Amino acid sequence: MNRYPAHLVLDAGGWAERTNPDRADLRSRFVLQGLHQLGLEIANLSARELKLGPAVLRALADSSRVQFVSANIEIPGARTWLKPYIILNRSIGGRAVRIGIAGVSLSVPDVGSLWPDSLAPKITDPIAAAEQVFETLKPQTDMQILLAYVPTAELDRDSTELEGYDLVVAGAGDLRESPPVGKLPVVLAPGTRCKFAGWIALRPTEGTSYAVADGGVVQLDTKVPDDPAMAKLVQQFKDRLGPPAAAPSTRQTVPPGEALSRHPLP
């Protein structure tokens, strides 16, 4: 960010904490607060986040100061905190640019378990929704960005439908080390481990076009040091807990003379 002070920080979705389902609300709040401190302005609301339930999501929207977007998740009465797209006015290389940002997500199992019938979310086809919102953004904006909680393999398959977007940020699927330098469009895919951040730097070219001047995928552990006090506390907990118990063996033994095929691998 010091190198590129005119920056825009986005999240493609899947930010809801999933390692501790008993306190997913608290952990998700900490994740969003930390991302906001790193400059996060707009986050895609993926189907995974719906598992937090309406009360938690509304509280996160009110407290985190991060704007949620989704073009294919419809929630009754949520338009004040969940928008299909956002349009921003920014400057790239001294040139004023209007940037349209939309989000889409694939569905996941059990998304509505914490939702009352009156607020039950509806998830439509993500690619069709992305195409539809692009037609809305194109006449109003100079650049279109799609935040997609969709596996990169599916984005590749549907690339002809999404070819109008200048930048697609994938929140699910395989990591791609760095985007190609040169003309837009480009897909930025930092993977799903939440320890990587993808970035690109744009420069204006002829007419009203833009190109990728630089970019990459950064492993955050190597760039953002742990807080010393918190790291010490975590280590103390680990020392008190001791080493992890060995997992029970699933190896099967085959009595002498019996065929191996009778004992398939687990």
Side-chain angles (χ1 to χ4, degrees):
M1 291 183 183
N2 293 333
R3 185 178 176 186
Y4 300 105
H7 59 265
L8 174 62
V9 182
L10 308 169
D11 189 280
W15 43 263
E17 175 58 44
R18 58 183 170 180
T19 60
N20 188 340
D22 293 333
R23 295 310 307 268
D25 56 340
L26 181 62
R27 289 171 173 258
S28 296
R29 178 162 61 87
F30 290 156
V31 168
L32 277 182
Q33 288 178 348
L35 290 174
H36 180 70
Q37 290 181 8
L38 293 175
L40 179 66
E41 295 183 46
I42 299 172
N44 183 30
L45 186 75
S46 79
R48 199 177 103 186
E49 276 75 69
L50 295 179
K51 292 186 176 183
L52 294 171
V56 172
L57 282 178
R58 181 59 187 265
L60 290 173
D62 291 341
S63 64
S64 68
R65 292 181 290 177
V66 174
Q67 176 63 58
F68 296 154
V69 296
S70 177
N72 77 312
I73 294 178
E74 301 172 8
I75 300 174
R79 277 294 174 252
T80 56
W81 58 269
L82 177 62
K83 300 183 181 299
Y85 60 84
I86 297 291
I87 297 178
L88 301 177
N89 293 303
R90 293 298 167 94
S91 176
I92 298 178
R95 180 192 295 173
V97 55
R98 285 174 61 81
I99 304 173
I101 304 162
V104 294
S105 171
L106 284 179
S107 184
V108 296
D110 303 324
V111 295
S113 57
L114 296 179
W115 293 75
D117 291 342
S118 60
L119 295 176
K122 177 183 178 182
I123 304 176
T124 61
D125 179 79
I127 303 303
E131 290 185 84
Q132 182 177 4
V133 78
F134 175 77
E135 294 303 319
T136 301
L137 290 175
K138 185 177 180 180
Q140 305 181 63
T141 57
D142 307 302
M143 179 179 298
Q144 298 81 36
I145 299 175
L146 180 66
L147 309 176
Y149 194 74
V150 178
T152 47
E154 295 200 27
L155 292 175
D156 289 340
R157 185 194 65 193
D158 296 313
S159 60
T160 55
E161 286 81 3
L162 300 176
E163 62 185 6
Y165 285 92
D166 297 290
L167 172 63
V168 177
V169 184
D174 297 331
L175 180 149
R176 296 182 180 176
E177 291 296 338
S178 60
V181 172
K183 293 182 178 181
L184 297 173
V186 69
V187 174
L188 188 62
T192 58
R193 293 181 58 192
C194 298
K195 293 185 177 182
F196 295 85
W199 67 278
I200 63 169
L202 300 178
R203 59 178 176 83
T205 58
E206 68 282 350
T208 59
S209 300
Y210 299 86
V212 178
D214 200 357
V217 176
V218 177
Q219 185 172 349
L220 296 178
D221 287 352
T222 65
K223 298 293 183 180
V224 182
D226 291 335
D227 177 76
M230 183 58 68
K232 182 178 180 180
L233 185 61
V234 170
Q235 187 59 51
Q236 289 174 349
F237 277 121
K238 289 183 177 179
D239 293 341
R240 290 173 61 186
L241 291 172
S249 174
T250 58
R251 182 184 298 275
Q252 294 180 329
T253 58
V254 181
E258 293 194 23
L260 184 61
S261 60
R262 289 183 54 190
H263 299 270
L265 293 175

